[in-house]
């Protein structure tokens, strides 16, 4: 009897204390945490400035400053877009998922109709007077926003075959249109983002293993029937650059010479010699220019800064308040990660040449703007946190 009464009074006291605490907390207004990630922002600015310097060095012999001006303008506009998007609540994009996806499909079809054909046969650009737009780059942002929304809705049933089929179709439409250009490099970026996002959503290992086995088994068929002769030659030259040293293997051979000639500390800014023999030295092989002039130390610091950017995106994603924000951050991180590995890898002969730019470093207005917008989405995820009381925030 006494034990019952004691327990009863203890429970009453506990409930009274909890009600007092809740009442005290409710007296404080609810606010958003609104934390701007200065680390991510400053990393992006620093890498972009370093990129502009290298574009200047790569194009100084041409006697024209147009590339530097375009890159600087794209960087400035991109920073403004990044700051604007960081203040915009990213969850508002969920209601626009269908129009955004429709826009991506539209521009990818449009480039097949009115796009400009490059020297190697790909139709990847739309020219509007002096301005060139690469729809595949814009489609990456669209895919991250729409697929993250799709995945957030389907994550609880991610291992349902029909749900998984719908997610595959989400990717397949965009990737198929890009392959029709054809642009294998951009297609691989989409596939890598797709895999990373599914892995984040905890897809069953049975699907991962099955997909890996099927992909490996289908590689010979893809090589023979889906890749053009030009793309097949690129793979052959990747395996043996000396197979065609004066044409298809020339880029990789000269790139490796440029990287090696930089030594430990580099030749010095604007002092590169081997870069004069590099085709696409301001775009695809900008890493080789940096390695020659800034040396192993400079190239290593650049890679560390880029990986720090990726790590920061992942860290923000892991602390996101909801799965949609988490998937956006992982999508952006995986996009940057593939670009870094592929671009730096092809410059030293470890990856095939695909024309993938180095984020924030390679020359390209569309690429620069898209990268800044992508980072703006990550900043938005960090900035717009769940409502908290003043007492919790401070």
């Amino acid at each position: 009897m006494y034990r019952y009464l004691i327990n009863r009074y203890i429970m009453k006291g506990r409930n009274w204390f909890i009600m007092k605490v809740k009442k005290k907390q409710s007296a404080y207004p609810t606010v958003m945490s609104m934390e701007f990630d200065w680390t991510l922002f400053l990393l992006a600015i620093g890498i972009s400035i370093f990129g502009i310097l290298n574009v200047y060095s790569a194009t100084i012999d041409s006697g024209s400053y147009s590339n530097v001006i375009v890159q600087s303008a794209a960087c400035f506009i991109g920073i403004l877009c990044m700051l604007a998007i960081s203040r915009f609540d990213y969850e508002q994009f969920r209601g626009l998922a269908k129009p955004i996806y429709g826009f991506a499909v539209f521009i990818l079809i449009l480039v097949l109709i009115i796009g400009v054909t490059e020297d190697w046969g790909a139709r990847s650009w739309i020219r509007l007077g002096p301005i060139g737009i690469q729809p595949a780059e814009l489609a990456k942002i669209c895919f991250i926003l729409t697929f993250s929304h799709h995945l957030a809705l389907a994550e609880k049933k991610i291992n349902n075959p029909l749900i998984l089929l719908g997610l595959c179709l989400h990717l397949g439409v965009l990737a198929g249109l890009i392959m029709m250009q054809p642009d294998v490099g951009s297609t691989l970026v989409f596939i890598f983002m797709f895999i990373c996002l599914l892995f984040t959503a905890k897809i069953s290992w049975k699907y991962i293993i099955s997909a890996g086995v099927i992909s490996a088994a289908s590689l010979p068929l893809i090589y023979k029937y889906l890749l053009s002769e030009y793309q097949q030659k690129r793979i052959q030259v990747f395996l043996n650059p000396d197979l065609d040293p004066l044409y298809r293997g020339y880029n990789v051979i000269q790139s490796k010479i440029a990287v090696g000639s930089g030594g430990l500390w580099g030749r010095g800014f604007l002092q590169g010699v081997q870069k004069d023999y590099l085709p696409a030295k301001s775009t695809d092989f900008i890493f080789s220019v940096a390695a020659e002039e800034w040396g192993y130390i400079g190239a290593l610091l650049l890679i560390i800064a880029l990986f720090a950017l990726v790590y920061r995106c992942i860290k923000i994603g892991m602390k996101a308040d909801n799965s949609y924000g988490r998937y956006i951050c992982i999508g952006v991180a995986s996009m940057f990660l593939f670009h870094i590995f592929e671009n730096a890898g092809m410059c030293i002969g470890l990856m095939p040449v695909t024309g993938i730019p180095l984020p924030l470093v390679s020359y390209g207005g569309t690429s620069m703007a898209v990268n800044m917008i992508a980072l703006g989405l990550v900043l938005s995820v960090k900035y717009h946190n769940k409502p908290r009381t003043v007492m919790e925030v401070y």
Side-chain angles (χ1 to χ4, degrees):
M1 181 68 179
Y2 292 108
R3 183 178 297 175
Y4 168 76
L5 291 174
I6 291 171
N7 289 338
R8 184 176 178 183
Y9 282 114
I10 290 175
M11 291 299 296
K12 281 186 176 181
R14 175 178 173 273
N15 293 336
W16 176 84
F17 178 75
I18 292 174
M19 290 297 295
K20 283 290 185 181
V21 171
K22 287 185 175 180
K23 186 176 181 181
K24 184 177 180 180
Q25 286 184 347
S26 63
Y28 293 94
T30 298
V31 298
M32 301 293 285
S33 64
M34 294 191 176
E35 300 174 6
F36 186 79
D37 197 292
W38 286 102
T39 302
L40 182 66
F41 178 74
L42 293 176
L43 274 172
I45 299 300
I47 295 170
S48 300
I49 293 174
F50 182 77
I52 293 172
L53 290 175
N54 282 277
V55 169
Y56 171 71
S57 177
T59 58
I60 188 173
D61 292 337
S62 66
S64 173
Y65 299 101
S66 60
N67 286 2
V68 177
I69 294 172
V70 170
Q71 189 77 347
S72 301
C75 180
F76 178 73
I77 295 172
I79 291 171
L80 294 180
C81 292
M82 178 171 59
L83 292 173
I85 292 174
S86 70
R87 294 301 191 269
F88 184 80
D89 189 354
Y90 67 96
E91 290 198 67
Q92 300 300 316
F93 288 113
R94 301 193 73 168
L96 301 172
K98 290 182 179 179
I100 291 173
Y101 190 80
F103 171 74
V105 173
F106 171 74
I107 58 176
L108 290 177
I109 292 176
L110 187 65
V111 74
L112 295 175
I113 299 173
I114 65 171
V116 177
T117 303
E118 303 289 350
D119 295 337
W120 52 88
R123 182 172 290 184
S124 306
W125 292 84
I126 294 176
R127 294 289 178 184
L128 302 174
I131 301 175
I133 300 174
Q134 193 171 8
E137 292 293 323
L138 298 175
K140 291 174 186 176
I141 296 295
C142 297
F143 176 76
I144 290 172
L145 289 172
T146 58
F147 191 76
S148 295
H149 172 61
H150 192 168
L151 196 57
L153 294 176
E155 61 182 354
K156 293 183 180 179
K157 299 180 179 179
I158 186 66
N159 293 308
N160 184 309
L162 291 178
I163 297 296
L164 194 56
L165 177 62
L167 293 170
C168 290
L169 288 175
H170 192 129
L171 166 73
V173 173
L174 300 181
L177 289 171
I178 294 173
M179 275 298 295
M180 292 173 65
Q181 295 180 9
D183 186 350
V184 177
S186 294
T187 304
L188 292 175
V189 176
F190 277 80
I191 293 174
F192 186 76
M193 289 192 291
F194 176 77
I195 293 172
C196 290
L197 286 168
L198 288 184
F199 187 81
T200 305
K202 299 180 180 179
I203 187 175
S204 173
W205 279 100
K206 66 180 181 181
Y207 291 114
I208 297 175
I209 295 173
S210 300
V213 172
I214 293 173
S215 299
S218 62
L219 284 178
L221 298 176
I222 294 173
Y223 174 83
K224 185 174 181 179
Y225 296 107
L226 294 183
L227 298 184
S228 64
E229 181 182 357
Y230 176 81
Q231 292 163 342
Q232 291 177 355
K233 289 292 185 182
R234 273 192 169 185
I235 294 176
Q236 294 171 11
V237 169
F238 160 65
L239 298 174
N240 182 16
D242 294 327
L243 186 66
D244 190 2
L246 298 179
Y247 183 40
R248 292 185 176 90
Y250 179 82
N251 293 3
V252 176
I253 293 172
Q254 297 301 322
S255 176
K256 290 194 290 185
I257 294 173
V259 172
S261 66
L264 184 62
W265 298 103
R267 293 178 179 272
F269 182 54
L270 303 179
Q271 301 303 313
V273 176
Q274 191 60 35
K275 66 182 181 181
D276 296 334
Y277 302 96
L278 273 175
K281 56 187 175 182
S282 64
T283 53
D284 297 352
F285 293 97
I286 192 69
F287 180 76
S288 303
V289 175
E292 181 185 13
E293 297 193 345
W294 303 92
Y296 173 79
I297 299 298
L300 180 62
L301 291 175
L302 172 61
I303 293 298
I304 290 174
L306 287 167
F307 276 113
L309 200 72
V310 173
Y311 170 76
R312 198 65 192 168
C313 291
I314 295 174
K315 187 175 180 180
I316 292 172
M318 290 299 100
K319 293 184 178 181
D321 293 329
N322 53 66
S323 56
Y324 180 57
R326 179 167 64 253
Y327 294 142
I328 286 177
C329 293
I330 298 302
V332 172
S334 58
M335 179 182 75
F336 273 78
L337 188 62
F338 187 88
H339 276 251
I340 296 166
F341 266 118
E342 170 57 27
N343 185 275
M346 74 182 186
C347 287
I348 57 178
L350 295 180
M351 297 292 285
V353 178
T354 58
I356 292 292
L358 190 62
L360 304 176
V361 181
S362 292
Y363 169 73
T366 306
S367 176
M368 174 66 78
V370 166
N371 289 329
M372 289 294 189
I373 290 171
L375 293 175
L377 291 173
V378 177
L379 289 172
S380 177
V381 173
K382 176 68 180 291
Y383 190 77
H384 293 89
N385 214 333
K386 64 182 178 182
R388 301 177 181 179
T389 65
V390 173
M391 187 172 68
E392 290 174 320
V393 173
Y394 299 103

